[in-house]
Amino acid sequence: MAIDPNENVIRRAAEFLQDTDSLFVMTGAGISAESGIPTFRGANGLWRKYSVQDLATPHAFARNPALVWEWYRWRQDIILRAKPNAAHHALVRLERRMENFLLLTQNVDDLHRRAGTRNVREIHGNIFRKKCSRCGAKRDSKDVRSVKDSLPRCTCGALLRPDVVWFGEIIPSEIWNEALTFLRTAGVALFCGTSGVVWPAAGIPEIAIRQGLKTIEVNPEPTPISEIVHVSVRAKAGTALPEILRFLSH
Ligand code: APR
């Protein structure tokens, strides 16, 4: 029986995971695609319909905060109606098998936490958290009010903005440093559902390779990460991750 080419890579990925108790995972929009949340750069990606410049930069917010809030509230609404998918749940099961586990997500959709992952760090923020555009005060709230109610304001009087990292902004250094520290002692790094083109997150696969970790990618499309990892599983995360878990001894 011809072995499905993917079955070999699935087995190899499972072997790497079987042989370690310290796993680093980095996810991107692709892991939430099967929950119905649009990615950014795929065929129906958000950046094909909307311009980053108008929606995801500090300048865009200063120029037209109502438009930016309208777009984020549209995304919040899609996310609130979405549910974690088989890929998110597979990562929860993987976390439970590991002594040490760190999941760095570029996603702002909160689905890893909703699925039950405990050790998740949001390198690009969280779409449901707000931040004051002046004093930086943070507010966690899932109130999805329409933008016509009025723009949310901080107690200091300035406008609140989504607490997400926009283009041209820096990522939270404590999360970045925690990821680098974890990579120093991890055994395997799994990259799932990311196009690997947005820095500095895009630099992590190279760092993992240099640190001597076994590296796995799961993505139905080839990416720059595919070139450098030990195993690249060319499949959807909702299919591949449960498959990989099937090969792991209980
Ligand atoms: N399973 C796994 N991967 C998938 C799936 C799936 N079902 N569907 C699509 N993908 C892959 C695509 O092939 C693509 O490589 O997910 C990747 C999504 O890439 P992007 O849309 O670029 O998302 P991401 O890599 O997370 O973008 C990084 O860019 O716009 C900014 O801040 C935003 O966090 C985002 C960052």
Side-chain angles (χ1 to χ4, degrees):
M1 179 253 290
I3 296 273
D4 169 340
N6 258 339
E7 176 150 335
N8 287 333
V9 289
I10 295 267
R11 273 182 202 283
R12 244 187 112 208
E15 279 159 22
F16 287 168
L17 293 169
Q18 189 74 52
D19 295 347
T20 189
D21 62 3
S22 178
L23 173 61
F24 175 87
V25 181
M26 183 166 96
T27 60
I31 199 163
S32 297
E34 291 161 87
S35 296
I37 297 174
T39 63
F40 294 96
R41 295 172 184 82
N44 302 317
L46 290 170
W47 298 144
R48 295 201 184 239
K49 299 190 192 82
Y50 304 97
S51 116
V52 175
Q53 268 56 37
D54 296 341
L55 295 163
T57 66
H59 186 62
F61 187 75
R63 192 177 53 235
N64 189 342
L67 174 69
V68 173
W69 264 118
E70 191 172 339
W71 189 63
Y72 275 89
R73 283 190 169 140
W74 170 72
R75 288 179 62 203
Q76 282 177 340
D77 190 44
I78 293 173
I79 292 166
L80 280 176
R81 282 185 283 121
K83 286 197 297 294
N85 65 63
H88 295 103
H89 293 304
L91 290 179
V92 173
R93 288 164 49 207
L94 259 180
E95 177 175 31
R96 292 191 184 132
R97 298 177 60 94
M98 295 290 160
E99 280 290 301
N100 304 297
F101 179 93
L102 183 66
L103 194 160
L104 189 71
T105 187
Q106 300 172 88
N107 301 339
V108 296
D109 61 27
D110 212 34
L111 286 186
H112 286 300
R113 197 174 286 115
R114 278 178 55 194
T117 295
R118 285 194 302 270
N119 243 357
V120 50
R121 302 288 182 275
E122 295 165 315
I123 196 169
H124 290 160
N126 183 304
I127 200 168
F128 293 110
R129 206 173 42 239
K130 296 183 182 72
K131 177 169 82 170
C132 177
S133 56
R134 178 164 60 200
C135 72
K138 303 229 176 179
R139 284 234 320 258
D140 249 329
S141 64
K142 291 208 170 171
D143 69 323
V144 183
R145 288 179 294 109
S146 75
V147 78
K148 50 181 174 303
D149 295 355
S150 76
L151 296 178
R153 286 193 177 274
C154 175
T155 43
C156 80
L159 283 174
L160 289 171
R161 52 164 280 186
D163 188 16
V164 297
V165 178
W166 280 329
F167 288 94
E169 294 188 316
I170 55 162
I171 58 165
S173 54
E174 67 283 359
I175 292 180
W176 179 255
N177 294 333
E178 184 181 3
L180 294 190
T181 304
F182 189 89
L183 282 169
R184 276 197 215 110
T185 55
V188 176
L190 165 63
F191 301 97
C192 191
T194 181
S195 57
V197 296
V198 173
W199 293 77
I204 287 199
E206 188 67 49
I207 294 169
I209 295 269
R210 268 209 315 275
Q211 304 274 12
L213 279 74
K214 291 285 188 244
T215 49
I216 305 163
E217 177 192 40
V218 174
N219 195 319
E221 305 290 332
T223 72
I225 301 174
S226 314
E227 309 301 314
I228 61 172
V229 291
H230 295 93
V231 171
S232 189
V233 183
R234 194 66 63 243
K236 290 185 173 184
T239 310
L241 292 181
E243 267 301 290
I244 291 170
L245 271 160
R246 235 168 34 83
F247 280 95
L248 292 180
S249 65
H250 299 291

